[in-house]
Amino acid sequence: MPSFRHLLFRRSFSTTARQREIRNVAELPGRIHPRYQELSDHDLLGLQWPQPPRNILLTKKDCAPTVTESFIEYAKHIHSTYPSISIVLEPHTAAELHERFPFPVYTRQQELAEPHILHDKVDLINTLGGDGTILRASSLFASSPTVPPILSFSMGTLGFLGEWKFGEHKRAFRETYMSGAQGSHGQSLATKETPDNLARAVTTLSTSTPSPTSSPTPASSYPPSSTTTTTTTKPPKSPPLGWSSIRGKFLGSSRTSRVLVRSRLKVGVYAPDGTRVSSDTHATQPTSSPHHAHDIFAMNEVILHRGRDPHLAIIEIYVGGRFLTEAVADGMIISTPTGSTAYSLSSGGSIVHPLVSSLLLTPICPRSLSFRPLVLPANTPITLRLSEKNRGREVEVSVDGIRRNKALRVGMELRVEGEDVRDAAGNWMGGVPSIVRGTSGSESEGGGEDSWVGGLNGLLKFNYPFGEEA
C-alpha cells in the first residue's frame, strides 16, 4: 500500500487522444475549376486559380515503403502550412495510413464504389510515384469531361511523365497553390487589409462556397479498422480569407505555374446493331450504374488484344468512316501522344510530342510486314470492328492498363476519337492538365525550355551510342 507522502506528491498528467478519423468526401465543399491562360512567350498554359484550392487528392505508389514515408511527410506539410486544405485519399490508402495523421482525412465511402463523387469535390491532384501512379489518378476521372490539375513527383521506376523531384515538394506545391494568386476573389494582394475589406471578403466567401453535406454516414461503409472513428458532426474547416492568409508565399498575379494539357482519347463500345453498350473498365465495379452508358477517356491508350486465345485477331479498321484495312495481328493500339512512349513505342510506333494534336494507330505483331504504324489528326474517328472471320470469338479491351470487364465479341465495335480540349467559346477545359517545372514570367528560365526532350535523352536514352555506359 503506497504511503500518504507518496500519494501527496504524485503528479497527474492529462492526455489528448489523436484524431484518427476517416470522413466522407461528400462533406467537402464543391470543386473549384481553375482557368488556363495562354502565354505569349511559351507553348504551355498558365494556371489561374479563381480562389485558393481547398480539396487535394493525394495518391501514391503502393507497396513502396520509401514512397509511403514521403507521402506521410508531404501530407503533414500541407496540413501544417495550409491548414484550410482538406486531404482526400483513396479508400485503401485512408485505411492504411489514417492512424498516422493527427488530422482527419477524407475518402469515398467504399473501395469498390465508383469514384464519381471525386469529380465534384477534388480541386487538385498530387501523385507520388511513377507514370503508373499518374495513370491511376487520371483513371479516377475516366468518366469526367474535366480533370483537376495534376502535380506529380517522380518516385517510380521510370518517371517520364513526372519531372518534379520530391526534394522540391515545398516549392512545387507553393507555386501551384499560389499560381496567379490574387486577393479574395479578384482583389490583388497588394490591397490593404482594412476591416472593411476583410468583411467584404468574408461575405464573398460565404455566398460563393457551397455548404457541405451534413447527412450522417454509417461507419460500416468505410474501410475496416479497429481504431477508425467516422463522424459527420464536425464540418470541414472554413476557407481562408484569400491567399493573403498564407503570408510570405505571394508570387505575383502575373506569375503562374506552367501547365501542359495532355489530350485524352474518347472511347465508346457498340454492339453489332449500333447500340452503345457498357463502357466499364473496372472488373470490380457494378455494371448497373447509369454512368456506364457514356464514353470513357484514356490518357495513354486503348488496346484491343487477342488475350489468352492462341489465334491472331482479325480486326476491320475504319478511319474517318472509310474502310482502311483488315488487320491480322495480336492486336491494335490507339494511343495519344502521351502514350506514344508506352506500349505503342514497344510495338514500333512513332514518338510524338505531347503538344502535337494527333492519334497513333499501331499494330501489335502484325502478320503483314507492310503494315506500318500511322499518325492521324486528333479529330479523326477510328473504328475497330472484330471481323466475322475470327477463329476466336472475342478479344480483350484495356484502357490505360485497366482491363474492361466484358470482352469485345464478333461484330462489336470500338469507336475512338480525340477529346475536345476546348469548349465552344475557345476556353481550355479538357485533357489532363499536368503541372510542369518552372513558373511563367520568370526571367531566369528560358521560354523554350522543354523537359520532354530531356526525358528522351536522360530516361529513354534516345539514340544512345553503342559501347558507352547508359
Side-chain angles (χ1 to χ4, degrees):
M1 176 124 182
S3 64
F4 175 77
R5 183 177 180 182
H6 178 74
L7 293 174
L8 184 65
F9 291 98
R10 177 180 295 176
R11 296 186 61 184
S12 299
F13 295 90
S14 61
T15 59
T16 303
R18 297 180 62 189
Q19 291 189 12
R20 298 175 177 177
E21 296 176 298
I22 300 178
R23 296 181 180 176
N24 190 349
V25 71
E27 299 177 25
L28 296 174
R31 175 177 166 187
I32 296 173
H33 292 264
R35 297 185 298 271
Y36 302 102
Q37 186 179 43
E38 295 187 6
L39 306 175
S40 59
D41 60 342
H42 209 281
D43 292 331
L44 303 179
L45 303 179
L47 175 65
Q48 289 274 357
W49 291 107
Q51 65 185 85
R54 298 169 295 194
N55 308 327
I56 311 298
L57 172 64
L58 302 185
T59 64
K60 71 177 184 69
K61 180 179 181 179
D62 292 331
C63 304
T66 302
V67 176
T68 298
E69 293 304 317
S70 299
F71 183 86
I72 294 171
E73 176 187 347
Y74 185 58
K76 289 181 177 179
H77 165 71
I78 292 177
H79 178 77
S80 62
T81 310
Y82 310 86
S84 63
I85 288 180
S86 297
I87 303 296
V88 182
L89 305 178
E90 294 185 76
H92 70 279
T93 305
E96 175 190 358
L97 300 178
H98 76 278
E99 292 184 0
R100 301 185 63 177
F101 297 127
F103 51 86
V105 296
Y106 294 81
T107 190
R108 63 184 191 271
Q109 293 184 12
Q110 298 176 1
E111 176 68 47
L112 301 184
E114 297 179 5
H116 295 98
I117 183 65
L118 300 179
H119 304 172
D120 300 324
K121 299 295 181 180
V122 174
D123 305 328
L124 175 68
I125 302 172
N126 287 184
T127 68
L128 280 73
D131 296 346
T133 309
I134 299 175
L135 287 177
R136 165 63 185 168
S138 174
S139 70
L140 296 175
F141 294 81
S143 58
S144 173
T146 60
V147 180
I150 297 183
L151 175 63
S152 303
F153 298 98
S154 179
M155 303 183 72
T157 305
L158 183 62
F160 187 73
L161 301 182
E163 61 182 76
W164 291 94
K165 303 301 181 184
F166 182 72
E168 306 169 299
H169 68 275
K170 294 182 180 180
R171 168 202 162 194
F173 189 84
R174 181 185 72 244
E175 290 184 357
T176 302
Y177 181 85
M178 303 297 294
S179 183
Q182 294 182 344
S184 299
H185 300 275
Q187 293 183 4
S188 172
L189 287 181
T191 304
K192 185 177 180 180
E193 290 189 351
T194 64
D196 291 340
N197 288 338
L198 291 178
R200 283 193 294 269
V202 173
T203 303
T204 306
L205 284 168
S206 63
T207 56
S208 63
T209 304
S211 358
T213 304
S214 57
S215 58
T217 304
S220 60
S221 63
Y222 292 95
S225 175
S226 58
T227 58
T228 302
T229 302
T230 58
T231 177
T232 57
T233 58
K234 299 179 181 179
K237 296 177 288 292
S238 300
L241 298 178
W243 285 275
S244 56
S245 62
I246 309 297
R247 300 190 181 277
K249 296 179 172 59
F250 176 50
L251 300 177
S253 59
S254 62
R255 298 187 61 186
T256 57
S257 293
R258 290 178 181 176
V259 173
L260 169 62
V261 176
R262 298 182 180 274
S263 59
R264 298 187 295 176
L265 302 174
K266 185 167 62 174
V267 184
V269 182
Y270 293 81
D273 61 0
T275 58
R276 185 190 296 271
V277 298
S278 169
S279 296
D280 62 291
T281 53
H282 296 271
T284 56
Q285 288 181 350
T287 57
S288 59
S289 170
H291 293 282
H292 289 148
H294 302 291
D295 290 323
I296 56 175
F297 298 93
M299 179 180 174
N300 247 21
E301 76 263 308
V302 55
I303 301 170
L304 213 60
H305 195 273
R306 64 182 176 89
R308 294 176 297 178
D309 196 298
H311 306 292
L312 295 177
I314 303 177
I315 303 169
E316 300 172 1
I317 303 175
Y318 297 81
V319 175
R322 299 184 62 181
F323 177 75
L324 174 66
T325 188
E326 185 178 74
V328 182
D330 277 352
M332 294 295 303
I333 302 171
I334 302 177
S335 73
T336 63
T338 297
S340 68
T341 52
Y343 196 176
S344 175
L345 177 62
S346 301
S347 301
S350 300
I351 299 176
V352 180
H353 194 285
L355 288 177
V356 178
S357 180
S358 59
L359 302 178
L360 287 81
L361 180 65
T362 308
I364 305 173
C365 300
R367 185 176 66 179
S368 172
L369 296 179
S370 62
F371 192 171
R372 309 307 303 162
L374 297 178
V375 180
L376 303 169
N379 60 354
T380 303
I382 300 175
T383 300
L384 304 180
R385 177 186 298 163
L386 193 59
S387 172
E388 296 283 350
K389 302 177 184 178
N390 272 275
R391 296 177 65 183
R393 307 312 291 170
E394 61 182 34
V395 293
E396 293 182 356
V397 179
S398 65
V399 179
D400 281 348
I402 302 176
R403 185 169 59 88
R404 185 176 174 270
N405 189 21
K406 298 180 181 178
L408 195 76
R409 299 184 178 277
V410 169
M412 296 179 66
E413 294 181 352
L414 194 70
R415 300 180 187 177
V416 182
E417 61 181 320
E419 175 191 21
D420 294 327
V421 295
R422 293 181 182 238
D423 59 18
N427 300 315
W428 293 85
M429 47 83 69
V432 180
S434 304
I435 299 171
V436 298
R437 186 187 304 276
T439 303
S440 63
S442 174
E443 296 179 358
S444 61
E445 298 177 2
E449 177 187 356
D450 194 336
S451 60
W452 182 81
V453 175
L456 286 184
N457 292 329
L459 297 175
L460 298 184
K461 307 300 180 184
F462 181 74
N463 196 31
Y464 205 83
F466 291 106
E468 298 185 17
E469 293 185 5

